[in-house]
């Protein structure tokens, strides 16, 4: 197996399998229960299997290996931008909902919004400075 | 934007996989360029032109008729 194939495996299915083991271990440590731990780890492992066996399908190939080429990378960036816009809307709407119900002090959404906004500004600063 | 990638590749008897291997991209990316679903970056367009011994302008038609092909 070439280095490229090993790298593609580790960033795709390999990462999913490792994450499945981590989820299982953390769930057991958190006393979630063996059944639910197996279910959560199983979902992640199944995702890894899909990435492994369906790579010839263009969508799965790009999903499994974001760095395979510029088209895959561009597709991931555009998808991340779209998902980010949805997340921003969800955060703002839920924050306003909490404010409307007087839950400002305990709102998780304000923290998420702050992290999201600051991360975005910092990332934009770096990207703009790099040209 | 209309392009001549498929025409140039076929003329050399290459498969999409062969061309993808030379350009270090996936076969699907070559297919997406040929079917005008993906516009390659400038470095990839230059690599394509260099590979076929032609120019980017010769491969990609950015005239009004070429742009409106999709």
């Amino acid at each position: 197996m070439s280095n490229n194939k090993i790298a593609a495996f580790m960033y795709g299915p390999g990462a999913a399998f490792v994450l499945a083991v981590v989820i299982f271990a953390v769930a057991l440590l958190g006393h979630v229960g063996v059944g639910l731990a197996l279910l959560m780890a199983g979902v992640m492992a199944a995702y890894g299997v899909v990435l492994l066996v369906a790579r010839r399908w263009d969508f799965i190939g790009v999903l499994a290996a974001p760095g395979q080429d510029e088209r895959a990378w561009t597709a991931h960036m555009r998808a991340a931008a779209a998902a980010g816009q949805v997340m921003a809307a969800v955060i703002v709407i839920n924050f306003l909902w909490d404010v409307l119900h007087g839950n400002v002090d305990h709102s998780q959404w304000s923290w998420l919004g702050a992290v999201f906004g600051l991360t975005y500004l910092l990332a934009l600063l770096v990207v703009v400075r790099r040209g | 934007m209309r392009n001549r990638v498929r025409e140039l590749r076929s003329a050399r008897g290459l498969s999409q996989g062969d061309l993808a291997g030379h350009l270090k991209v996936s076969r699907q990316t070559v297919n997406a360029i040929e079917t005008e679903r993906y516009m390659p970056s400038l470095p990839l367009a230059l690599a394509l032109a260099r590979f076929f011994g032609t120019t980017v302008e010769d491969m990609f038609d950015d005239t009004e008729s070429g742009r409106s092909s999709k």
Side-chain angles (χ1 to χ4, degrees), chain A residues 5-21 44 47-49 51-52 55 64:
Chain A
K5 283 186 176 173
I6 293 170
F9 177 79
M10 284 316 297
Y11 282 107
F17 294 140
V18 169
L19 203 52
V21 173
M44 187 51 70
Y47 174 66
V49 171
L51 293 185
L52 197 60
R55 297 179 77 93

Side-chain angles (χ1 to χ4, degrees), chain A residues 63-90:
Chain A
L63 184 64
Q68 66 173 278
D69 64 16
E70 62 166 53
R71 174 170 160 266
W73 188 243
T74 305
H76 273 274
M77 284 200 296
R78 292 170 69 181
Q85 285 182 333
V86 171
M87 274 310 296
V90 167

Side-chain angles (χ1 to χ4, degrees), chain A residues 55-58 68-72 74 78, chain B residues 24-26 28-29 32 37-38 40-41 44:
Chain A
R55 297 179 77 93
R56 289 183 67 82
W57 183 22
D58 193 18
Q68 66 173 278
D69 64 16
E70 62 166 53
R71 174 170 160 266
T74 305
R78 292 170 69 181
Chain B
K24 294 185 170 46
V25 298
S26 67
Q28 289 88 346
T29 294
R37 289 182 293 115
Y38 176 68
S41 67
L44 183 53

Side-chain angles (χ1 to χ4, degrees), chain B:
Chain B
M1 189 183 292
R2 199 172 293 156
N3 68 70
R4 298 178 55 221
V5 175
R6 174 164 285 166
E7 173 195 333
L8 292 165
R9 175 180 62 77
S10 300
R12 282 159 179 76
L14 294 170
S15 68
Q16 289 182 339
D18 295 333
L19 180 56
H22 282 289
L23 298 171
K24 294 185 170 46
V25 298
S26 67
R27 186 195 60 75
Q28 289 88 346
T29 294
V30 171
N31 180 265
I33 293 170
E34 289 186 354
T35 53
E36 298 163 22
R37 289 182 293 115
Y38 176 68
M39 181 76 68
S41 67
L42 182 59
L44 183 53
L46 287 169
L48 272 164
R50 214 168 281 138
F51 179 78
F52 288 121
T54 183
T55 62
V56 173
E57 291 91 334
D58 183 54
M59 274 199 324
F60 295 91
D61 181 7
D62 73 336
T63 60
E64 197 60 43
S65 63
R67 280 199 299 270
S68 60
S69 70
K70 275 274 164 177

Side-chain angles (χ1 to χ4, degrees), chain A residues 21-33:
Chain A
V21 173
V22 170
I23 288 171
F24 185 71
V26 171
L28 287 185
L29 283 173
H31 306 292
V32 167

